[in-house]
Amino acid sequence: MPRFPATSYALCDAGVAQNRIGGTWVDATEGATLPVLNPRVGAPMGQVACSTAADIDEAVAVAQAAQIGWANTPIKARAQVLHRWRVLLETHLDELSWIVAHENGKNFEEGRASALKGIECLEFAIAVPNGLAGGTLQVSQGIRCEHRFAPLGVVAGVVPFNFPVMVPMWMAPLALIAGNAFVLKPSEKTPFGMCRFVELAEEAGLPPGVFQLVHGTRPAVEALVDHPDVKAIGFVGSTRVARVVYSRATALGKRALCLGGAKNHLVAVPDADVEMTATNVVASSMGSAGQRCMAASVLVAVGDTQHIVDAIVAKASQVRLGHDMGAIIDPEAVRRITDHIDAAVAAGATLLLDGRDAKPPEGFEGGCWVGPTILDHVTPDMPAGCEEIFGPVLSIIRTETLDEAIEIENDNNYGNAAAIYTSDGGTAQYAVDRFEAGMCGVNIGVPVPREPFQFGGWNASRFGHGDITGADGFRFWTRGKKITSKWALASDNTWMS
Ligand code: NAD
């Protein structure tokens, strides 16, 4: 069974993240597990079940049976259950934040912020009966048309390691309020947070089986996508896997929305407020140790912006590892990030700040660490200028004009976020109008749309139609049913029959 004992950064045993099927913790049928690393400590904190197709079959069958009663529960009563869940999540906020800090390596405060953002998504779902109800209209004499949002049945979500409780909450509340049963496959690197979320959902009154957890790796995902009774797949992760999952699901005629990776460009022009820009760019590129799909990855410094670059380097130098910035998810990711830094230097980039030899926090020397790193004079064709590094590395590209900067942003394959730093409204408008990204910022480096606005990128950052949160998210997990009725005694003399 999973346990949730953490109250500080000290390593503790979280047990086994088992599958949650029908309200019970169960091992995967073949009994296989993988170790789960605490990245800050660099030692295992527990195990995670490795599910096979047999586990997926069982989870989906139980979910299918449970979904019937849940779909027949009035939507306002479903909202009441979700509301009680929200209260419990807030009551257990510290506990949930520590779980995220342990399995992901984030600071406690970052874990807390991510849990709160997940709760905000839940609040949106609770309000769905008020804001996104279907509608009815008299369309002819005595004839009414009604639109309903009907659930799909059993639906599934597959999520990445970097926001272990926030990203699942982009999907689960909206899928559940719609009357679906939801099967979640958390990242095998961070499986514990959602174990506690599901326990608390059941404590709030969610019927067992309506929210199932199946842990594991690629075979579990493939079995979920292929299962004939799984009607829709939501996926968030790297572009490579998003593309594969999207193709596989849509080839089977399924509904799929798959969010991928990112390479976000922040553009600074000379009139930008120096203090605010520097603070913001550092927070965007180094927060969550750069392991965010919305993190600043490239700073395009336009014209005479040396004073801004100097301020960014000065601020980033003050970031304390383990205090202001958390750990990297695992040793393999540390290698990928440091290889990128090595390669950029070899290709001619200038290292303004080197995180490769940053000093780990005392007592956590065995953890997975890379300090804030800033590379200058990167070119757009260098891997550091165009590939997702997913670590605390800011690549600076220099241009003479704003149009060149916009062209560099536009030429990038991805399209999650882009931002402009300026004190001039016209310049801001000009850039935002031209960025090729789904989420744009003005003087803000992590332009995440808060509820009720929707989250979703463009280009290789998203496969499928629509955004994953907000009204689009609700529509993704539902299908429209249109009912036209004539009950009036008066005869209708229009073309309707
Ligand atoms: P990942 O793609 O390696 O894994 C995501 C999920 O897919 C995990 O649950 C994993 O078990 C599963 N998976 C891995 N390989 C698979 C395969 N071959 N077939 C089927 N399933 C597979 O991503 P990650 O390393 O966990 O997360 C980091 C990535 O997620 C980054 O690229 C980041 O940009 C992206 N991300 C994107 C968003 C967004 O909103 N666009 C949000 C968060 C993270």
Side-chain angles (χ1 to χ4, degrees), residues 92-394:
H92 291 267
L93 189 57
D94 276 6
E95 180 192 355
L96 297 166
S97 313
W98 279 121
I99 300 169
V100 174
H102 274 240
E103 64 184 2
N104 175 275
K106 287 186 199 297
N107 296 335
F108 173 79
E109 292 73 21
E110 291 175 335
R112 191 169 186 279
S114 72
L116 283 170
K117 172 67 189 161
I119 291 170
E120 188 174 68
C121 297
L122 179 53
E123 286 165 4
F124 181 82
I126 292 165
V128 159
N130 301 325
L132 288 175
T136 167
L137 190 72
Q138 176 165 284
V139 292
S140 264
Q141 184 65 39
I143 297 180
R144 302 194 78 81
C145 277
E146 180 193 349
H147 181 97
R148 286 183 199 167
F149 292 102
L152 298 170
V154 179
V155 296
V158 177
V159 292
F161 77 82
N162 66 323
F163 281 95
V165 299
M166 182 190 82
V167 171
M169 295 298 281
W170 290 350
M171 303 185 203
L174 288 173
L176 293 172
I177 194 68
N180 299 290
F182 185 66
V183 182
L184 177 72
K185 207 297 284 173
S187 168
E188 66 279 16
K189 296 175 183 172
T190 53
F192 288 103
M194 285 314 289
C195 291
R196 191 65 180 126
F197 266 63
V198 172
E199 266 190 353
L200 292 172
E202 289 172 5
E203 196 178 319
L206 192 70
V210 169
F211 190 169
Q212 308 269 63
L213 280 183
V214 284
H215 296 285
T217 56
R218 177 177 173 171
V221 178
E222 291 180 346
L224 261 182
V225 173
D226 294 349
H227 198 294
D229 294 326
V230 172
K231 301 299 181 194
I233 297 283
F235 174 92
V236 180
S238 60
T239 288
R240 181 183 64 81
V241 183
R243 190 180 270 123
V244 168
V245 169
Y246 183 76
S247 306
R248 194 173 179 119
T250 51
L252 291 166
K254 295 193 182 190
R255 193 179 289 197
L257 179 56
C258 300
L259 304 193
K263 186 80 180 171
N264 303 314
H265 291 63
L266 308 185
V267 176
V269 298
D271 72 3
D273 181 284
V274 180
E275 175 66 21
M276 189 266 289
T277 303
T279 305
N280 206 260
V281 170
V282 171
S284 175
S285 51
M286 309 306 168
S288 291
Q291 299 167 110
R292 282 195 285 203
C293 68
M294 294 293 281
S297 186
V298 171
L299 174 75
V300 190
V302 180
D304 184 10
T305 37
Q306 188 57 42
H307 55 300
I308 298 174
V309 170
D310 291 344
I312 289 171
V313 175
K315 288 225 179 278
S317 318
Q318 288 161 15
V319 170
R320 295 161 308 159
L321 221 48
H323 299 277
D324 309 312
M325 201 175 98
I328 304 297
I329 188 67
D330 57 23
E332 192 188 333
V334 170
R335 257 193 312 279
R336 184 194 66 239
I337 296 164
T338 54
D339 282 355
H340 262 292
I341 302 169
D342 295 345
V345 173
T350 312
L351 204 47
L352 299 182
L353 191 61
D354 187 355
R356 291 172 296 184
D357 50 12
K359 194 169 171 303
E362 206 181 323
F364 297 98
E365 289 78 4
C368 307
W369 303 101
V370 178
T373 299
I374 300 181
L375 295 159
D376 200 0
H377 302 295
V378 172
T379 56
D381 56 341
M382 286 183 193
C386 60
E387 292 177 13
E388 182 174 43
I389 299 176
F390 219 55
V393 180
L394 182 68

